[in-house]
Structure formats: C-alpha cells, structure tokens
Amino acid sequence: MGPRVSIWFSVFVFALIASSIYAEEAESEAESKEHVVTLDHSNFDDVVGKHDFVVVEFYAPWCGHCKKLAPEYEKAASILSSHDPPIVLAKIDASDEANRQIGTLHEIQGFPTLKIFRNGGKSVQEYKGPREADGIVDYLKKQSGPASAEIKSTEDANNLITGKNIVIVGVFPKFAGEEFENYTALAEKLRSDYEFGHTSDLKLLPSGDFSAAGPLIRLFKPFDELVVDVKDFNLDTLEKFVEETTVPTVTVFDKDPNNHPFVVKFFNSPNAKAMLFMNFTNEAADALNTKYREVAEQNKGKGISFLVGDLEASQGAFQYFGLKEEQVPLIIIQTNDGQKYLKPNVEPDHVASWIKDYKDGNVSPYKKSEPIPETNDEPVKVVVADTLQDIVFKSGKNVLLEFYAPWCGHCKQLAPILDEVAVSYESDPAVVIAKLVRFIRVLV
C-alpha cells in the first residue's frame, strides 16, 4: 500500500509543478504580447477602415522621442485593450520607403506624430494629449466617448470645469433642434482641443450669469474673462468665437504644463509675435508685466500676439534667438518673414513707446550674427549674418553657400570636399564658395 501512495503523491506533485510552470509561461506570454498593432502599406487602410476609433503613431525607428514614447504607448494599449469597447492603438514606420506615401497623405512633418482616426478613417484629428501611459489612457477614454458630456448635477459640472482648462458648455431647454445640432457639430470638430459639456439647467454651472436665458454657449477659461457667453449658433460664428476667445491676451511661457497648449497656439498664430523675457522672481517683474499687459490689451486684434516668458524656462528660446541673459528683461518681436526686433534691458516706461516705434517702422531689425572675421582669405569664404547681403546677394557673383553646424558629422565629412571645390574655382572671379554657420535649436 505504501509504494502506491508514494506513486500517487509523486504524480500529484508533478501535476502541481507542471501547472505552476504552465501558469508562469502563460503569464510570461501575456506580458510579452504586443498590444500595439503594427501597420504598414499593406494593411493600413484595412485596419483603419474597420474601426470606428483607432489611434495611429507615425514613428521612425531611429527617433529618440519615439523610443521614449514606445513603452508608455504599449502600456496604454494594454490597458485600453480591456476597455469596453476596446480602444485600438497602432503604429506605422513612416520613415520606411514603402510607407512614405501614407505619411505624405496624412501630412506627417515629424516623429512621433499621433493621429486619431474615426468612422473608418473618414475623420482624422491630431492627438493632443499627454505622452505618458496614464495620461494617454485618460485622454483617449474621453476622446472615444461622446464629444459632449451631459451635465446632470453640480458634481458633474465641477468634475468637468476645474478652473485649469478651457471648457465649453451648451445650455439648452431640450437636446434637439438646430442650435443643439450645431453645438454638437462644433464639439465633434474641436473635441481634440477642448472639453465640451451640455445641460438643461444653467444653475448647475459654477459661475456666470444664472439669469441668462438659453439656448446659449458658455465658455470657461483660466485667464482674462473667466466666463464668456455667446448666443449665435451659426457654426462658422461659433468656431470664430472659440478661436478668438481661447487665446490669452498675454500667453505665459513657464514650466507649468497647463500653459503649454497656449504656448503652442501662440507660436502657431499667423500674427507677429512679441515676447517679453524676464526673471519672474525679480522685484520689478510685476510693474513690467503690468505695463506689458496694458500694451497687449491696446493691441488686441491688431496683428500682434503677446507672450511673457520666465528666464528659467526660456533657455531654448535664448539659444534659438541668440540672446544673452545680461540683456534681460528684453522684448523681441518676430515677424512672419523672419525679421526680428530687439529691445534689451527694457524698463516699464519703455514698453509702450518701443512697441509704437516698431509698428511705425522706426526700429531696425536685429540680426543674430557671428563676428565679421578679421581675415577671410581661405578658399572657402566665411559668411556671417552681417555680411550675407554683401557677399551673397549683392556681389553679382555665382555663390555656392553651405549652411552648416560645427557639431554635424555630415558637415565635417563635406568640409574637405568643399575645400577642394573652392581651390579649383579660386582663379574664377565670378564664383564664390562660402559657408555660413547655423545653430538649430528647439524653442518650445
């Protein structure tokens, strides 16, 4: 009897071990499973076409930002695969020659770019949410639901309207009719930029005129007038109202992520861009900021957008524009044709008069330039910003000009070749071979 028990016990132990090994393998397989769907030119249209909602990352394997996003994107895809209904996250290597046409079709300018495809790809919107897993999940859950959330209680209203973001709320006696349909169309079109809600009870909202009669649209924002109403439900008028009302009189450029969407909007504006850079903690900051805001108010709607940037957060801007900290506080204006105008060490009383001088054409453009070289007798001539016109555009000669960066490996490889070309044309007075250093930096 003893041996028989021993055999059955051994079988039991073996079964337990096998079960444990199988469970570990299954768990390992589940962990290794990729939840992000890989697309290419052969399946892109099919995958997008059969989903009502799918997010696609256009990436390049060599892109550092793409590599940083990859684990967050995969984690979000894993979580959203259990959503009801599941939310599909996909990716396509847009740098692959075979997929280039898809990238061109969707106007991919850089990597990574995320886009939301709705209704089988009939509607395409930019993804404008966070780049970490939890933020991606929260953003896409909202984006995959109704464009406008119904507000049924003060709790609903307070959860939506936090005072830190722009929220647009439609107030209607009933959720039907032309006004409601136009509002819904607005929400669907702009849902990737703003949050939308609708209610039949104006008194549920946290602020504004509670005696106003609907239907109306109430816009909440964390700057300037905190609450603005509109009653014109023409769709074009509504879009213009939202576009104009959601731009701060003065955009704040600092390390607060809540301000970043407004900074992006500022730099995407077609207006000339006035930027005041200063130390926010300086004792004179309040007086300067007050004068600057007054000028911004006076110039609202006149083709100039205004931004104030904290020195600590603006190092990228300083490198881009070639500015120096000893020039702070300073104002720089950049126009759409690339011209820049600079007022260093500005004082509060200087702001209004200098902006007026700029508008009247009485301020000379500022040039970021390396010093003019004392000698310029090498075969490849050195061009700086202050000599560009004379050597290149006004010389009447045929000029081959290289724009280069000293740290660029490809530029270093080209240098001896350019020297050879320059030597071969050294006796030709009609030809100039030259180089101009360019430092490219990201501003925001």
Side-chain angles (χ1 to χ4, degrees), residues 122-133:
K122 294 177 182 175
S123 173
V124 185
Q125 292 174 320
E126 294 285 341
Y127 172 92
K128 298 182 179 180
R131 297 295 177 100
E132 42 79 27

PDB file of all heavy atoms in Angstrom, residues 122-133:
ATOM      1  N   LYS A 122     -12.797  58.196 -41.934  1.00  0.00           N
ATOM      2  CA  LYS A 122     -13.451  59.324 -42.610  1.00  0.00           C
ATOM      3  C   LYS A 122     -13.144  60.652 -41.924  1.00  0.00           C
ATOM      4  O   LYS A 122     -13.189  61.709 -42.549  1.00  0.00           O
ATOM      5  CB  LYS A 122     -14.959  59.089 -42.658  1.00  0.00           C
ATOM      6  CG  LYS A 122     -15.365  57.903 -43.531  1.00  0.00           C
ATOM      7  CD  LYS A 122     -16.865  57.667 -43.482  1.00  0.00           C
ATOM      8  CE  LYS A 122     -17.260  56.439 -44.312  1.00  0.00           C
ATOM      9  NZ  LYS A 122     -18.697  56.124 -44.182  1.00  0.00           N
ATOM     10  N   SER A 123     -12.860  60.587 -40.631  1.00  0.00           N
ATOM     11  CA  SER A 123     -12.498  61.782 -39.875  1.00  0.00           C
ATOM     12  C   SER A 123     -11.152  61.549 -39.213  1.00  0.00           C
ATOM     13  O   SER A 123     -10.945  60.525 -38.563  1.00  0.00           O
ATOM     14  CB  SER A 123     -13.570  62.082 -38.805  1.00  0.00           C
ATOM     15  OG  SER A 123     -13.154  63.131 -37.961  1.00  0.00           O
ATOM     16  N   VAL A 124     -10.233  62.507 -39.398  1.00  0.00           N
ATOM     17  CA  VAL A 124      -8.886  62.374 -38.836  1.00  0.00           C
ATOM     18  C   VAL A 124      -8.575  63.622 -38.013  1.00  0.00           C
ATOM     19  O   VAL A 124      -8.766  64.743 -38.476  1.00  0.00           O
ATOM     20  CB  VAL A 124      -7.821  62.214 -39.941  1.00  0.00           C
ATOM     21  CG1 VAL A 124      -6.451  61.966 -39.319  1.00  0.00           C
ATOM     22  CG2 VAL A 124      -8.191  61.085 -40.893  1.00  0.00           C
ATOM     23  N   GLN A 125      -8.108  63.412 -36.778  1.00  0.00           N
ATOM     24  CA  GLN A 125      -7.776  64.531 -35.903  1.00  0.00           C
ATOM     25  C   GLN A 125      -6.398  64.323 -35.286  1.00  0.00           C
ATOM     26  O   GLN A 125      -5.959  63.190 -35.097  1.00  0.00           O
ATOM     27  CB  GLN A 125      -8.820  64.664 -34.779  1.00  0.00           C
ATOM     28  CG  GLN A 125     -10.203  65.086 -35.270  1.00  0.00           C
ATOM     29  CD  GLN A 125     -11.231  65.069 -34.146  1.00  0.00           C
ATOM     30  OE1 GLN A 125     -11.232  64.179 -33.321  1.00  0.00           O
ATOM     31  NE2 GLN A 125     -12.107  66.059 -34.135  1.00  0.00           N
ATOM     32  N   GLU A 126      -5.743  65.415 -34.965  1.00  0.00           N
ATOM     33  CA  GLU A 126      -4.456  65.343 -34.270  1.00  0.00           C
ATOM     34  C   GLU A 126      -4.684  64.863 -32.842  1.00  0.00           C
ATOM     35  O   GLU A 126      -5.640  65.269 -32.188  1.00  0.00           O
ATOM     36  CB  GLU A 126      -3.788  66.715 -34.234  1.00  0.00           C
ATOM     37  CG  GLU A 126      -3.371  67.253 -35.577  1.00  0.00           C
ATOM     38  CD  GLU A 126      -2.127  66.577 -36.123  1.00  0.00           C
ATOM     39  OE1 GLU A 126      -1.394  65.964 -35.321  1.00  0.00           O
ATOM     40  OE2 GLU A 126      -1.892  66.666 -37.332  1.00  0.00           O
ATOM     41  N   TYR A 127      -3.793  64.014 -32.368  1.00  0.00           N
ATOM     42  CA  TYR A 127      -3.775  63.652 -30.952  1.00  0.00           C
ATOM     43  C   TYR A 127      -3.057  64.770 -30.213  1.00  0.00           C
ATOM     44  O   TYR A 127      -1.916  65.103 -30.539  1.00  0.00           O
ATOM     45  CB  TYR A 127      -3.041  62.320 -30.757  1.00  0.00           C
ATOM     46  CG  TYR A 127      -2.807  61.962 -29.297  1.00  0.00           C
ATOM     47  CD1 TYR A 127      -3.721  61.182 -28.614  1.00  0.00           C
ATOM     48  CD2 TYR A 127      -1.683  62.415 -28.624  1.00  0.00           C
ATOM     49  CE1 TYR A 127      -3.519  60.855 -27.275  1.00  0.00           C
ATOM     50  CE2 TYR A 127      -1.474  62.099 -27.294  1.00  0.00           C
ATOM     51  CZ  TYR A 127      -2.394  61.319 -26.623  1.00  0.00           C
ATOM     52  OH  TYR A 127      -2.198  61.004 -25.302  1.00  0.00           O
ATOM     53  N   LYS A 128      -3.705  65.357 -29.211  1.00  0.00           N
ATOM     54  CA  LYS A 128      -3.129  66.496 -28.496  1.00  0.00           C
ATOM     55  C   LYS A 128      -3.064  66.243 -26.996  1.00  0.00           C
ATOM     56  O   LYS A 128      -3.092  67.179 -26.195  1.00  0.00           O
ATOM     57  CB  LYS A 128      -3.926  67.764 -28.797  1.00  0.00           C
ATOM     58  CG  LYS A 128      -3.899  68.144 -30.275  1.00  0.00           C
ATOM     59  CD  LYS A 128      -4.648  69.414 -30.557  1.00  0.00           C
ATOM     60  CE  LYS A 128      -4.571  69.768 -32.044  1.00  0.00           C
ATOM     61  NZ  LYS A 128      -5.306  71.007 -32.363  1.00  0.00           N
ATOM     62  N   GLY A 129      -2.964  64.964 -26.646  1.00  0.00           N
ATOM     63  CA  GLY A 129      -2.948  64.597 -25.234  1.00  0.00           C
ATOM     64  C   GLY A 129      -1.559  64.342 -24.706  1.00  0.00           C
ATOM     65  O   GLY A 129      -0.557  64.594 -25.372  1.00  0.00           O
ATOM     66  N   PRO A 130      -1.473  63.814 -23.477  1.00  0.00           N
ATOM     67  CA  PRO A 130      -0.183  63.519 -22.835  1.00  0.00           C
ATOM     68  C   PRO A 130       0.579  62.418 -23.562  1.00  0.00           C
ATOM     69  O   PRO A 130       0.032  61.720 -24.418  1.00  0.00           O
ATOM     70  CB  PRO A 130      -0.600  63.064 -21.424  1.00  0.00           C
ATOM     71  CG  PRO A 130      -2.004  63.543 -21.242  1.00  0.00           C
ATOM     72  CD  PRO A 130      -2.615  63.543 -22.605  1.00  0.00           C
ATOM     73  N   ARG A 131       1.844  62.244 -23.174  1.00  0.00           N
ATOM     74  CA  ARG A 131       2.693  61.218 -23.784  1.00  0.00           C
ATOM     75  C   ARG A 131       3.123  60.154 -22.768  1.00  0.00           C
ATOM     76  O   ARG A 131       4.045  59.412 -23.039  1.00  0.00           O
ATOM     77  CB  ARG A 131       3.927  61.873 -24.409  1.00  0.00           C
ATOM     78  CG  ARG A 131       3.608  62.843 -25.560  1.00  0.00           C
ATOM     79  CD  ARG A 131       3.000  62.134 -26.744  1.00  0.00           C
ATOM     80  NE  ARG A 131       2.622  63.027 -27.813  1.00  0.00           N
ATOM     81  CZ  ARG A 131       3.340  63.237 -28.910  1.00  0.00           C
ATOM     82  NH1 ARG A 131       4.486  62.617 -29.073  1.00  0.00           N
ATOM     83  NH2 ARG A 131       2.904  64.045 -29.853  1.00  0.00           N
ATOM     84  N   GLU A 132       2.465  60.097 -21.610  1.00  0.00           N
ATOM     85  CA  GLU A 132       2.740  59.021 -20.661  1.00  0.00           C
ATOM     86  C   GLU A 132       1.478  58.174 -20.519  1.00  0.00           C
ATOM     87  O   GLU A 132       0.375  58.636 -20.793  1.00  0.00           O
ATOM     88  CB  GLU A 132       3.238  59.557 -19.314  1.00  0.00           C
ATOM     89  CG  GLU A 132       2.518  60.789 -18.787  1.00  0.00           C
ATOM     90  CD  GLU A 132       1.186  60.491 -18.145  1.00  0.00           C
ATOM     91  OE1 GLU A 132       1.036  59.363 -17.638  1.00  0.00           O
ATOM     92  OE2 GLU A 132       0.309  61.349 -18.154  1.00  0.00           O
ATOM     93  N   ALA A 133       1.662  56.913 -20.094  1.00  0.00           N
ATOM     94  CA  ALA A 133       0.611  55.897 -20.221  1.00  0.00           C
ATOM     95  C   ALA A 133      -0.717  56.310 -19.592  1.00  0.00           C
ATOM     96  O   ALA A 133      -1.768  56.249 -20.246  1.00  0.00           O
ATOM     97  CB  ALA A 133       1.098  54.577 -19.622  1.00  0.00           C
TER      98      ALA A 133
END
